[in-house]
Amino acid sequence: QPHLVESGGGSVQAGGSLRLSCGVSGYPFSDYCMAWFRDVPGKEREGVARIDSRGPRYTDAVKGRFTISRDNAKSTLYLHMNSLKSEDTAMYYCAAEIGGPCVTSIQNPSAADDYPYWGQGTQVTVVS
């Protein structure tokens, strides 16, 4: 099955920036609907951003601060995070949908159900 590996997480001061990467192998990357999600213990999984041929979509909490992009030649998904806040502290996961419509809103609580392939996660911690 497709293999996804996130990287780029770490500890960052509030107001700082990080760029997360997700390398994908095992399937043509151009066929993927790709998304970033984040988990906080005891809370619901939150969709962060999604990208397909129609462009990016963001949850309101990160709109204007985060940018999702993809490099099909490198089979890599990116999440550039600026102006980081304490509320951004979470485990971040990239996820892939193959052959699906990539239509469900990233803010829909059930959005994660559309993505059968997931990376192992990378931790982002925002400190003051």
Side-chain angles (χ1 to χ4, degrees):
Q1 63 182 50
H3 182 59
L4 284 65
V5 180
E6 301 98 333
S7 62
S11 181
V12 63
Q13 189 174 14
S17 300
L18 284 174
R19 189 181 75 167
L20 307 183
S21 299
C22 175
V24 181
S25 62
Y27 205 87
F29 185 72
S30 60
D31 292 343
Y32 286 43
C33 172
M34 302 294 299
W36 288 96
F37 292 83
R38 61 187 182 184
D39 284 354
V40 176
K43 298 183 179 180
E44 292 184 330
R45 175 164 293 179
E46 179 183 25
V48 177
R50 187 195 79 219
I51 188 167
D52 62 11
S53 62
R54 294 162 291 182
R57 300 289 186 272
Y58 302 93
T59 189
D60 288 343
V62 308
K63 195 174 299 181
R65 299 188 298 117
F66 290 13
T67 301
I68 186 172
S69 62
R70 64 194 296 167
D71 186 333
N72 289 344
K74 295 182 177 180
S75 298
T76 302
L77 178 76
Y78 301 99
L79 184 68
H80 190 195
M81 305 182 293
N82 297 316
S83 301
L84 283 161
K85 306 174 181 179
S86 60
E87 65 181 348
D88 298 317
T89 295
M91 182 73 75
Y92 283 74
Y93 297 90
C94 65
E97 178 188 16
I98 302 174
C102 199
V103 169
T104 303
S105 172
I106 195 66
Q107 299 186 100
N108 189 311
S110 299
D113 295 341
D114 291 344
Y115 298 85
Y117 305 108
W118 295 79
Q120 83 289 344
T122 185
Q123 178 68 37
V124 173
T125 303
V126 183
V127 299
S128 299

